[in-house]
Amino acid sequence: IWMERDGTVYMNDQPFQMADVSNWVAPLYAASDRALVISIRGDREVPYRFMDQLQKELVEAGVVRVVFAAQLEQSMQRERR
């Protein structure tokens, strides 16, 4: 999951509304026998309130395996497709 500074969420390079994250992730997580690890990426400018909202969506989906990559190198930028 990629998060922009304005709270925009991308999953597999597709934009999602924050409220739709749990509905999309829950069946994937269940199908993986709870082995799926969610990686959240964003730069250090993402406000905490957006990360908190995302965490709540993942909790609602039942996800317990999450990796945060909150500080990226300055040269690293998300490619748009």
Side-chain angles (χ1 to χ4, degrees):
I1 298 174
W2 176 267
M3 181 171 282
E4 298 280 349
R5 293 178 197 178
D6 64 0
T8 304
V9 175
Y10 293 87
M11 293 186 288
N12 294 339
D13 292 325
Q14 300 298 313
F16 279 82
Q17 296 294 320
M18 185 72 73
D20 295 332
V21 170
S22 62
N23 293 332
W24 192 78
V25 170
L28 294 175
Y29 190 66
S32 75
D33 290 328
R34 300 175 55 95
L36 180 68
V37 177
I38 302 292
S39 176
I40 299 174
R41 302 191 73 120
D43 67 30
R44 66 180 106 193
E45 303 290 324
V46 174
Y48 176 76
R49 71 179 185 272
F50 295 136
M51 286 293 180
D52 186 51
Q53 287 175 333
L54 183 56
Q55 282 183 276
K56 288 176 182 174
E57 284 294 311
L58 294 174
V59 166
E60 186 176 319
V63 174
V64 294
R65 300 179 70 179
V66 178
V67 175
F68 289 92
Q71 187 173 358
L72 301 176
E73 295 179 26
Q74 290 181 351
S75 63
M76 186 174 216
Q77 302 230 352
R78 181 184 176 280
E79 287 186 34
R80 301 238 184 231
R81 293 183 186 183

